[in-house]
Structure formats: structure tokens, C-alpha cells
């Protein structure tokens, strides 16, 4: 599961202007995030560097924009762990970033 997590976060379509590409990447990341058990979330987040945590936060906030079956509850768990690692700075960087996923 950890491998799928790192692969899903690799090469995000930040510079893409194609919304279909961004939607597909979001769907893949959301599927991976919802597949984790609660106890495995913290080690996964801690395995990321600062940029990785910021990217994860971008996907979490994107997931909040279009919630699906129980995704909000799972994303809140991810957000809690990502905030614990990245801090308030991560949230500020994500919300002020010009490029989105």
C-alpha cells in the first residue's frame, strides 16, 4: 500500500492545463488514500518530505471540494496526520499556491 501511495503522489499534473488529467490523478490519489487503514496513515505521512506533505494537502483539499462515498471522513483523518507533520505552514503554502493538482 505504501508503494501505491508514493507512486500516486509522483509526478502530479500541476503544470497541466487539461482538467481531465487532473481529475484522473485526483481519482487515483483518492482511491489510494481511502484504501489505507487508519493505523497506517501516520507512517505514510511521515514517510514524505515537506514537498510531499504539501502535495498531499493539495490532494486532500481537492478531495474536500468534491466529496464522494465517505471520503470526507477519511480525508479528515489524512488531514489531521498531514497537519501534525507539516504544520500550519503546509496549509498556508497549499492555500496560497497558484498551481493546483
Amino acid at each position: 500500500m505504501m508503494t501505491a501511495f508514493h507512486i500516486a503522489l509522483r509526478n502530479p499534473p500541476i503544470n497541466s492545463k487539461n482538467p481531465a488529467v487532473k481529475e484522473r490523478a485526483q481519482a487515483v490519489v483518492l482511491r489510494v488514500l481511502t484504501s489505507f487503514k487508519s493505523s497506517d496513515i501516520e507512517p505514510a505521512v511521515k514517510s514524505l518530505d515537506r514537498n510531499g506533505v504539501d502535495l498531499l494537502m493539495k490532494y486532500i483539499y481537492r478531495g474536500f471540494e468534491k466529496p464522494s462515498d465517505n471520503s470526507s471522513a477519511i480525508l479528515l483523518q489524512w488531514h489531521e496526520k498531514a497537519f501534525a507533520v507539516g504544520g500550519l505552514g503546509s496549509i498556508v503554502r497549499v492555500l496560497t499556491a497558484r498551481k493546483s493538482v
Side-chain angles (χ1 to χ4, degrees):
M1 189 56 55
M2 192 71 79
T3 304
F5 175 66
H6 285 283
I7 290 173
L9 293 178
R10 188 181 309 150
N11 296 325
I14 290 176
N15 293 320
S16 176
K17 303 234 186 276
N18 186 343
V21 171
K22 291 187 177 206
E23 285 295 325
R24 184 160 172 91
Q26 170 65 25
V28 168
V29 171
L30 187 60
R31 188 175 323 143
V32 170
L33 295 181
T34 56
S35 299
F36 269 78
K37 290 188 264 180
S38 296
S39 60
D40 295 334
I41 294 174
E42 188 171 3
V45 173
K46 286 185 175 181
S47 72
L48 298 173
D49 62 4
R50 188 182 93 164
N51 291 333
V53 174
D54 288 355
L55 178 61
L56 175 61
M57 279 290 208
K58 284 183 179 186
Y59 279 115
I60 290 169
Y61 283 120
R62 179 87 189 271
F64 285 145
E65 290 175 11
K66 295 182 181 178
S68 60
D69 304 327
N70 199 31
S71 67
S72 293
I74 295 166
L75 289 173
L76 280 172
Q77 291 177 4
W78 279 95
H79 187 274
E80 176 188 6
K81 303 303 181 188
F83 176 71
V85 172
L88 189 58
S90 180
I91 294 173
V92 171
R93 285 188 296 275
V94 168
L95 295 179
T96 59
R98 292 182 180 202
K99 296 182 179 182
S100 64
V101 290

